[in-house]
Amino acid sequence: MVRPDPPPHTSPTTLPGYAATRRIDELRATEYRHLDAAGQVYLDYAGAGVVAQAQVREHHDRMLAGLYSNPHSENPTSAAAGSLVESARRAVLDFFHADPAEYAVVFTPNASGACRLVGEAYDFGRSAPLVLTWDNHNSVNGIREYARAAGAAVRYVPLSGPELRVAESDLATVLGASRVGLGGRWRRSRRGLFAYPAQSNFSGVQHPLGWVELAHQHGYDVLLDAAAFAPTNRLDLSVVRPEFVCLSWYKLFGYPTGVGALLARRDALARLRRPWFAGGTIRAVSVQGDWHRSMDDESAFEDGTLNFLSIPDVEFGLRWLGSIGVDLVHTRVGLLTEWLLERLTTLRHASGQPLVQVYGPTTAVGRGGTVTVNLRDPDGTLVDERLVARESAQAGFSLRTGCFCNPGAGEGAFGISRESVRRRLLARVDTIDDYLAALRLPTGGAVRVSFGLASTATDAERFVAFVQSTYLDRGVGVGTPLPPRLRC
């Protein structure tokens, strides 16, 4: 006898364990009450976290209580700024359980800046390839340009199945391929770089942290993109030891913007060779002698003057997140994601057609709080994501539409073949809409909602209610013209 599926939970609050996360509701009503001031619903935590009022107060009080100046100077205000910057470095290492003797913190403008530092300075070559997963942000994909300029092979590991995961066997095959030379002989490679995200910014898939050790076994250094993972998951660098970790602090706790970090193992950092130097990165330099001597520590990678007025806010943000508890945030986000997926996948038009198509896992197992979907009309036609962007904004929702700077995950989700995206076939394509027409795709992206530190059951419930009331059993209509797609 086949048992019927249990009815979906009416609210996330009815899920086991939700009541234990009630502190987040208390914070939402106090420190994050500005989120509800205009009746809007924020569902773009994968794009940026939200700032607590305590963070603003801390910055305000610090600015009025002291005087701080360029840390490169030698005076009391310079020393005060430098002391706060170094304190923030220690706080970062402590938060990620990183041994200061093993890891260094390089402050950057964002995670993209951290990726660029590695890409431009890594010793790529014919025997030092670059391996990437299809599922990568463009800031990681861009490293391939440095690798190719150095004559290195660039290899991608594909996604497989509707959950848009990478098969570990495929990864092992690609990692091992660079160790086999002509005639099938095993060759000794000096090194290589494997770069992948701990969590997809497209599908929410969490790729195994165990791949760091797998890559090490194959002789690779590892760049771990933790920008989407770290805001709601614990990353312990005493257990997982990638050579490089890229982060943006506004993704974790909303403020400050314009500050990220590269966490790098000191031995790996010492192997990087920068293609240029700037103020603050050198110990000495001569114009007539045409030589320079770089700094011997992480400051060799921090170009010019650091954002010394905002970096101290990183330390407070880490203390703030730590006081709430990363594990508590993880539990809350997981429950909201589980409920949202449960509800969306049960919605059907009267025609029997599903209303929602999910790209990636349809359960909360092995994934984070980023859910990407497209909506379908009763006849199965995809609803243009630009229309959803317009109508959701009118209804007060802040979410993301498009392709999310992750072309590989998009190609996997939409079933785009390698042959169809050959450069010669798209040589005369000028716009994104021309590109989609050439690929014969019905839409150019999807709709992404994501939960974070201050998300509540009401946020998820309002989104589901919006989807039902706006798109369920709605007839297909052209409506007003949609704006052209300008980027992807």
Side-chain angles (χ1 to χ4, degrees):
M1 179 178 178
V2 179
R3 294 183 179 179
D5 292 334
H9 294 86
T10 57
S11 168
T13 60
T14 64
L15 291 171
Y18 190 89
T21 66
R22 62 183 177 274
R23 184 170 181 229
I24 291 177
D25 297 314
E26 296 167 358
L27 289 169
R28 176 67 174 259
T30 53
E31 290 292 338
Y32 296 98
R33 61 181 180 272
H34 49 285
L35 270 66
D36 301 310
Q40 298 193 29
V41 180
Y42 188 77
L43 292 172
D44 192 22
Y45 286 85
V50 293
V51 62
Q53 295 187 18
Q55 293 172 266
V56 178
R57 291 192 297 269
E58 167 68 17
H59 180 85
H60 170 272
D61 292 347
R62 187 178 71 253
M63 289 297 94
L64 296 184
L67 184 60
Y68 309 98
S69 66
N70 193 322
H72 294 159
S73 300
E74 298 289 342
N75 59 55
T77 54
S78 171
S83 176
L84 290 178
V85 168
E86 295 310 309
S87 180
R89 285 193 214 276
R90 292 190 295 270
V92 171
L93 294 172
D94 183 63
F95 185 84
F96 291 103
H97 299 168
D99 183 349
E102 183 179 8
Y103 277 93
V105 177
V106 178
F107 285 114
T108 64
N110 42 42
S112 298
C115 292
R116 180 185 57 79
L117 280 178
V118 176
E120 70 178 11
Y122 193 82
D123 189 20
F124 290 113
R126 293 187 64 183
S127 59
L130 172 65
V131 173
L132 302 160
T133 51
W134 277 18
D135 188 0
N136 259 314
H137 192 279
N138 274 336
S139 296
V140 179
N141 284 321
I143 295 173
R144 73 189 189 192
E145 300 305 306
Y146 292 113
R148 285 177 176 151
V154 177
R155 299 185 177 93
Y156 273 98
V157 190
L159 298 175
S160 60
E163 291 203 348
L164 303 179
R165 298 188 188 275
V166 173
E168 189 164 304
S169 58
D170 289 341
L171 173 60
T173 297
V174 174
L175 290 174
S178 64
R179 296 296 184 264
V180 179
L182 294 175
R185 288 186 174 183
W186 186 267
R187 70 183 182 188
R188 185 178 182 84
S189 174
R190 70 173 184 266
R191 280 189 187 271
L193 182 66
F194 170 50
Y196 79 103
Q199 179 174 310
S200 172
N201 75 308
F202 184 102
S203 65
V205 163
Q206 291 183 341
H207 301 292
L209 296 178
W211 288 353
V212 173
E213 180 56 29
L214 176 64
H216 287 166
Q217 292 171 5
H218 284 81
Y220 279 83
D221 293 320
V222 178
L223 183 150
L224 184 69
D225 177 5
F229 180 84
T232 60
N233 299 273
R234 189 173 297 280
L235 178 60
D236 188 338
L237 294 181
S238 70
V239 177
V240 180
R241 291 185 168 91
E243 278 68 28
F244 309 106
V245 179
C246 301
L247 296 160
S248 284
W249 298 117
Y250 72 92
K251 296 284 182 75
L252 272 80
F253 33 74
Y255 181 82
T257 58
V259 182
L262 172 67
L263 277 63
R265 283 171 54 166
R266 293 186 181 276
D267 58 343
L269 199 63
R271 287 190 273 109
L272 299 183
R273 294 292 178 264
R274 301 202 67 191
W276 84 311
F277 61 86
T281 68
I282 52 174
R283 189 174 300 280
V285 60
S286 172
V287 173
Q288 297 183 83
D290 193 24
W291 60 266
H292 72 278
R293 164 78 183 277
S294 296
M295 297 293 287
D296 298 323
D297 58 11
E298 53 267 41
S299 62
F301 296 84
E302 294 173 337
D303 299 330
T305 300
L306 288 172
N307 190 342
F308 60 90
L309 293 181
S310 292
I311 286 175
D313 296 312
V314 172
E315 179 172 0
F316 183 82
L318 290 171
R319 290 205 310 267
W320 177 255
L321 180 56
S323 70
I324 298 169
V326 176
D327 294 334
L328 182 69
V329 176
H330 175 85
T331 298
R332 165 60 68 92
V333 167
L335 292 169
L336 293 177
T337 305
E338 175 186 348
W339 182 84
L340 180 66
L341 289 166
E342 180 185 76
R343 293 291 298 170
L344 292 179
T345 54
T346 59
L347 296 176
R348 290 187 175 272
H349 296 288
S351 64
Q353 288 280 353
L355 172 60
V356 180
Q357 178 175 346
V358 177
Y359 299 110
T362 56
T363 71
V365 178
R367 60 129 65 240
T370 297
V371 177
T372 295
V373 304
N374 264 320
L375 305 177
R376 291 189 178 272
D377 287 321
D379 66 355
T381 304
L382 286 178
V383 178
D384 195 300
E385 84 281 354
R386 293 171 296 176
L387 181 60
V388 179
R390 174 189 293 172
E391 294 178 332
S392 62
Q394 291 171 347
F397 290 88
S398 290
L399 45 77
R400 180 79 176 265
T401 60
C403 54
F404 323 126
C405 299
N406 191 327
E411 289 169 15
F414 304 140
I416 301 173
S417 69
R418 182 176 182 180
E419 180 60 30
S420 66
V421 293
R422 294 284 188 185
R423 188 177 300 178
R424 61 181 174 81
L425 298 178
L426 302 172
R428 297 184 179 180
V429 169
D430 294 322
T431 69
I432 294 296
D433 291 313
D434 290 341
Y435 177 75
L436 297 173
L439 295 178
R440 299 179 181 176
L441 289 179
T443 186
V447 180
R448 187 184 76 184
V449 299
S450 48
F451 299 115
L453 190 157
S455 294
T456 65
T458 301
D459 296 334
E461 291 167 350
R462 286 182 62 182
F463 178 70
V464 171
F466 163 74
V467 170
Q468 285 183 285
S469 63
T470 307
Y471 301 103
L472 190 62
D473 292 321
R474 187 171 79 171
V476 180
V478 177
T480 58
L482 296 170
R485 298 178 177 92
L486 300 178
R487 67 176 64 185
C488 185

